[in-house]
Amino acid sequence: MNKSIRTLEALIQHELVNADHIVEIEQVIEHFSLSISPQMQQKIDKTKPDDPIAKQFVPHIEELKTTAFEYHDPIGDDVHTAVKGIIHRYPDRCLLTPVLVCPVYCRFCFRREKIAASSEKLTAVELDNAFTYINHHPEIWEVILTGGDPFILKPAALKKILDRLNAIPHVEVIRFHTRVPVVESAKINADMIAALKCDKPIYVVLHANHPNEFTPEASQACAALVDAGIPMLSQTVLLKDLNDNIETLSTLMRCFIKHRIKPYYLHHADLVRGTQHFRTSIETGQQLMKQLRGRFSGLCQPTYVLDIPGGFGKMPIGPCYLQAGEKANEIAYHIEDYHGDIHAYPSRLIDKTTG
Ligand SMILES: *Cc1c(COP(=O)(O)O)cnc(C)c1O
Ligand code: SF4
């Protein structure tokens, strides 16, 4: 078992598709790319109908259902595409997508309509144009390499990109968004670590959604990155019946911390076509955030965010603990503690005699 599953035949061969659904699954694969890395195949427990790894990567007939609220371009990448390979939505940072392929294809991917498209890789000219754009925009302080998965590139190709970013004075920080350390850990080898050596600070944001993704190989890959002096952060998509319960979510957050990865974002699932079966309600997400707060270390707290459809940015949508109080009584605020008890907080901290 050393090849990725990429075809219907391979799915059948690995007994990952119900014989009654073959026609539908074929349709799903036509629309949305399929790839399950060997490492993830090994983690699938076929005896469990709800296996969290299978759920993330094995195509499902529900993907053929599209609701009126689902979009081709759920987070407005198109309107913010400056030149091919550059998505510039916020003033001080932009995305650079050198490749649009991934070692696995998550069935809920927010860019599922873009990735693995015909042009998988930026050509030399396109890459030049992307760097010219960054060069001409001195407000770009940070470049975020994403995709696809930038860690799928060969170390030498990655090094070339880093060298070019290193040469642009106003780019002070370089960030990677990747799933490679958990789904194809062997890629984080000595060559890759050497290629990531850069004068500028490099941050790696790992996308992982379930504690089962942390195999011994994954732990090793994360340790190699952190030991090389690269700070790691996490991003997780809140997924129905996969990590939308406090046991799994808290275990995952602790797992990140144990790997020296600081939880960064918990994403509310985007309105991507054919992903309704993965979405929870915002209330569920807020409830989970309340359960995390106070009961689990402050280190384990991600920010719960929603990427506003249309390209307006990621905004926090976690629970609010502070409410306006009665001004007349000099109680400006009510603040809720993690047990749900409410406490008053005064309007002014200045002593009246001096104020
Ligand atoms: C998510 C995203 C970023 C990064 O946002 P942060 O809040 O800095 O993590 C930047 N640009 C685009 C287009 C994005 O979608
Ligand atoms: S790794 Fe990221 S970009 Fe690739 S399929 Fe998964 S969510 Fe999409």
Side-chain angles (χ1 to χ4, degrees):
M1 192 155 60
N2 48 20
K3 273 173 88 178
S4 295
I5 295 176
R6 293 178 181 278
T7 61
L8 181 64
E9 292 67 39
L11 276 178
I12 295 169
Q13 197 192 332
H14 286 86
E15 294 166 346
L16 288 172
V17 55
N18 180 329
D20 298 338
H21 295 152
I22 286 180
V23 177
E24 289 92 335
I25 296 299
E26 189 164 22
Q27 268 179 287
V28 171
I29 302 173
E30 262 172 38
H31 281 97
F32 308 115
S33 313
L34 162 70
S35 179
I36 312 174
S37 65
Q39 196 169 333
M40 287 296 99
Q41 289 167 43
Q42 266 159 13
K43 281 302 286 184
I44 294 176
D45 182 349
K46 288 179 202 161
T47 64
K48 287 199 187 126
D50 252 354
D51 178 75
I53 301 297
K55 247 189 143 91
Q56 291 188 69
F57 306 118
V58 176
H60 196 281
I61 52 170
E62 288 288 319
E63 292 175 53
L64 293 175
K65 291 188 193 155
T66 296
T67 71
F69 298 104
E70 292 174 343
Y71 308 95
H72 284 274
D73 180 24
I75 62 169
D77 281 349
D78 291 346
V79 288
H80 293 293
T81 296
V83 296
K84 196 167 174 199
I86 297 271
I87 304 170
H88 194 183
R89 178 208 277 165
Y90 298 109
D92 78 334
R93 57 211 189 276
C94 72
L95 306 184
L96 171 59
T97 58
V99 275
L100 288 176
V101 287
C102 300
V104 289
Y105 290 111
C106 312
R107 305 320 300 171
F108 45 84
C109 173
F110 63 118
R111 284 207 185 96
R112 67 184 321 193
E113 315 240 4
K114 303 239 154 51
I115 52 173
S118 50
S119 56
E120 297 179 342
K121 218 168 141 182
L122 291 190
T123 63
V125 173
E126 287 164 347
L127 208 51
D128 279 347
N129 291 342
F131 286 116
T132 304
Y133 180 87
I134 298 170
N135 253 316
H136 288 169
H137 287 263
E139 74 276 19
I140 297 176
W141 173 80
E142 179 186 19
V143 173
I144 302 163
L145 283 129
T146 181
D149 197 317
F151 278 2
I152 209 165
L153 289 170
K154 296 226 159 51
L158 211 59
K159 174 105 186 68
K160 267 193 200 153
I161 292 175
L162 285 178
D163 285 345
R164 291 179 81 169
L165 290 174
N166 209 20
I168 304 174
H170 59 263
V171 174
E172 294 193 55
V173 175
I174 300 163
R175 189 194 324 177
F176 287 92
H177 283 182
T178 181
R179 216 159 170 15
V180 162
V182 289
V183 301
E184 207 173 326
S185 311
K187 278 204 178 311
I188 310 297
N189 56 19
D191 289 345
M192 184 66 107
I193 297 289
L196 289 172
K197 248 194 135 22
C198 184
D199 295 343
K200 295 185 179 173
I202 293 201
Y203 282 72
V204 169
V205 180
L206 174 72
H207 170 190
N209 304 315
H210 194 277
N212 287 11
E213 292 168 43
F214 282 88
T215 57
E217 302 95 298
S219 299
Q220 240 179 37
C222 294
L225 288 164
V226 180
D227 286 346
I230 298 170
M232 286 184 77
L233 304 169
S234 73
Q235 51 180 342
T236 295
V237 186
L238 182 61
L239 298 166
K240 192 161 167 244
D241 302 329
L242 197 139
N243 58 19
D244 66 338
N245 62 81
I246 190 62
E247 291 73 29
T248 308
L249 196 65
S250 61
T251 305
L252 177 64
M253 294 305 141
R254 283 182 165 180
C255 192
F256 285 135
I257 291 297
K258 286 190 278 188
H259 285 85
R260 296 176 286 171
I261 301 169
K262 173 70 188 88
Y264 180 46
Y265 279 155
L266 175 66
H267 295 276
H268 190 72
D270 291 316
L271 298 171
V272 193
R273 286 200 310 152
T275 61
Q276 184 175 215
H277 55 299
F278 279 116
R279 268 193 303 279
T280 62
S281 66
I282 288 179
E283 288 72 23
T284 300
Q286 291 186 326
Q287 218 42 54
L288 285 165
M289 290 302 295
K290 277 200 165 178
Q291 288 173 288
L292 273 183
R293 176 64 63 187
R295 291 170 190 82
F296 295 91
S297 163
L299 292 176
C300 294
Q301 313 292 321
T303 303
Y304 179 38
V305 292
L306 171 75
D307 220 316
I308 306 171
F312 302 97
K314 292 178 191 70
M315 295 309 287
I317 56 164
C320 180
Y321 295 94
L322 189 69
Q323 249 148 38
E326 307 98 37
K327 284 259 173 2
N329 300 333
E330 300 253 329
I331 296 168
Y333 302 105
H334 289 299
I335 179 142
E336 187 181 333
D337 67 25
Y338 75 95
H339 297 293
D341 296 329
I342 310 289
H343 307 269
Y345 192 83
S347 58
R348 303 202 304 164
L349 290 177
I350 307 161
D351 190 329
K352 280 214 172 110
T353 55
T354 58

